Amino acid sequence: MKDQRVTRIEDLPGPKSQGELEEMKMPYEEYCRKVFAPGQEKTKPEALKGIRWLSTTMYIFTPHSVANLAELGAECIKIEMPRMGDPMRHTSPFNECYLYPLHDTRPMTGTGLGFTNANSNEYYISMDYHVPEMKEAFYRLVKLSDGLTECYRPGTFDRWKQSYRYLQEINPRFIYVWGGGFGYGPKVFGGSYDILGQAHAGLASVTGFHEDFGGHCTKHSNWCIDWYSGTQITVAILAALYWRRKTGLGTMIEFSQVQAATRCLGYAAPLYGRFGIVRQRWGNWDTQLCVHGIILCGKSDYPDEPNPQLKYEARYAVVSAFNDPDFKELCAIIGRNDLWDQYKTLQDRVRPEAQIVIYKALEEWAADKTRSQVVKTLTDAGLLAMPVMNDKEVYESEHFRQRGTVRWLEDPLFGDVLIQSGHSAGLLSKTPRRVNWIWRPVGADNVKIYHEMLGYPMSKIEEWYEKNLI
C-alpha cells in the first residue's frame, strides 16, 4: 500500500516563500543588513521575555550580569537601599557628569555616568531587605521570580535567611547567583574591586611595558574585569535556565571575580606549571607574533586640537604583518630590506632581541608621518593596519553607526542619551538585544512592583516610605 502522507512545503529544502527566495539571491552583506536591521529591534520578539530576575547588586560586575538579561527581554527588578541606592550612582568621570534626580527626596543630587550600561532596562525599587519588616515582601518577590543575583560578602544573605538554601525552600525552581571577590576558600571574606581582580589574578603583572623599556605593571584604565565577569555570569545563568527547563530545578551559581580574571591570562599558568617560566610584560608588542603590535607615529592627526588627548595621543597605529610574505612587503615599504634578510622566519622575528630592532625601525620610518598616512600606506599595499581610535573617532565611525553599535536613545526620563553596544553586543536576527532606558531614579517603580504586582495597599507603601524601609 502506498504511503498517503502529504509532504509539507516546510519540510522541503530551500526557500519557502518569494521573500525567502529573494533573500537567497542577495549578496551576503545585504542579507545581513536585512536580517539584523539596526533600528528595528523593537519590532521583533525578545528572547528572555517571561523571565523575571531580581538584582540586589552594586557597582558594575554583578549589575552588568543582570543588565544582559534585561537587554535580552527579561523583566529585571533592581532592589536598592532606600534613598541612596547603588553606590555606583555616586561615581562619575572626575565627579563632573550627572543626570538628575537621584531620588524624589534628593532632586539636587544626580546619578553619575559611571552607572551607565550596567543597569539598563530594569525596574527600580528600594527595600531595606535585611530588616524583619520587609522579609515578607522580599519572599513574595522570590516566589514570583526566576532568580536573583547578589554581591554581598559570603554568608551575609545566609545570616539574613535569604541565601540559596533558604530561597530554594520557597521556590524550588529558583536560580541563585552569588558574585564576589574570591569565593569560598582561604580568602573567603576578602572583598574585591576590578583593580584587585586584575592584580590578584596576575593580569596586571603582564600588562604594560617591560622594565627594560621603562615600564611597570599597569592597571587597565577601564574596569575590564567587571564587564568581563558580568558577561560570564550571564552565560552561567543561561545555562542554569536551560538546566531548569530539563529538570524543573533551580541551582546556585557562585562566581569569583578574581578567578574570572585568570581566564584572561591564557597560557600564563600552564607556562609556569610545565616549564617554570614566569610570563613577562611585553607592552604593545606580542610574545608569539611579530610584526603584530602598536607603533607610535611622529605626527598627530589633530595638530591644532586644544584637547591634548586628541593632539598628542592620536598618533598610534596597529600594524600586523607576521607571516613571511607580509613581513617582506613591510620591509620593502619602510626601505629596510635588510630586516627581511636577517629575520626571514617567524621564529627569527619573535625573539625579544629581534622585536626591539624591528619595532624601532618601524617607528623611525613613521617619525615624519601621521597615523592616517601610516595606515593608508600599509593598507594600500594589502597589509593589515588600523588607527588606535579614541572615543571621538568611535562616535564618528560609520562602521559602528551602520551596525547600531553607537546610537542615540530617547530615554523616557533623561532625553537624548548616547549609548554603545547595548544593541550590537552579539547581533541576533530573530530576538535582538535592545536598550529601552538607561536607568531610573531610586525607587522609581515602587508603586508598580509593591502595589500593582504584589498587591500591597498604598497605605502600607506610604508607611514603609515614612519608616525609610523603602
Side-chain angles (χ1 to χ4, degrees), residues 210-232:
H210 196 279
E211 281 87 347
D212 288 354
F213 308 124
H216 49 77
C217 71
T218 304
K219 168 195 173 293
H220 195 288
S221 296
N222 199 19
W223 296 316
C224 58
I225 297 303
D226 279 345
W227 296 105
Y228 173 79
S229 300
T231 298
Q232 285 195 313

Side-chain angles (χ1 to χ4, degrees), residues 418-430:
L418 188 72
I419 58 173
Q420 60 189 34
S421 290
H423 295 265
S424 65
L427 295 174
L428 296 166
S429 62
K430 302 296 184 183

Side-chain angles (χ1 to χ4, degrees), residues 31 33 38 44 65 151 156 168 223 266 305 313 350-351 447:
Y31 171 76
R33 292 177 190 275
K44 298 180 180 182
S65 71
C151 64
T156 301
Q168 68 172 334
W223 296 316
E305 273 284 345
E313 295 297 318
V350 82
R351 290 184 296 107
V447 172

Side-chain angles (χ1 to χ4, degrees), residues 10 12 20 59 68 74 154 159 313 316 370 388-389:
E10 291 83 0
L12 296 174
E20 290 188 14
Y59 298 106
N68 283 326
R159 292 197 305 273
E313 295 297 318
Y316 291 92
T370 66
V388 175
M389 295 168 63

Side-chain angles (χ1 to χ4, degrees), residues 5 7 13 21 28 137 147 149 151 159 172 222 230 237 291 360 398 422:
R5 288 178 296 180
T7 301
L21 180 61
Y28 180 71
T149 302
C151 64
R159 292 197 305 273
N222 199 19
I237 291 172
V291 171
K360 182 176 184 291
E398 184 62 24

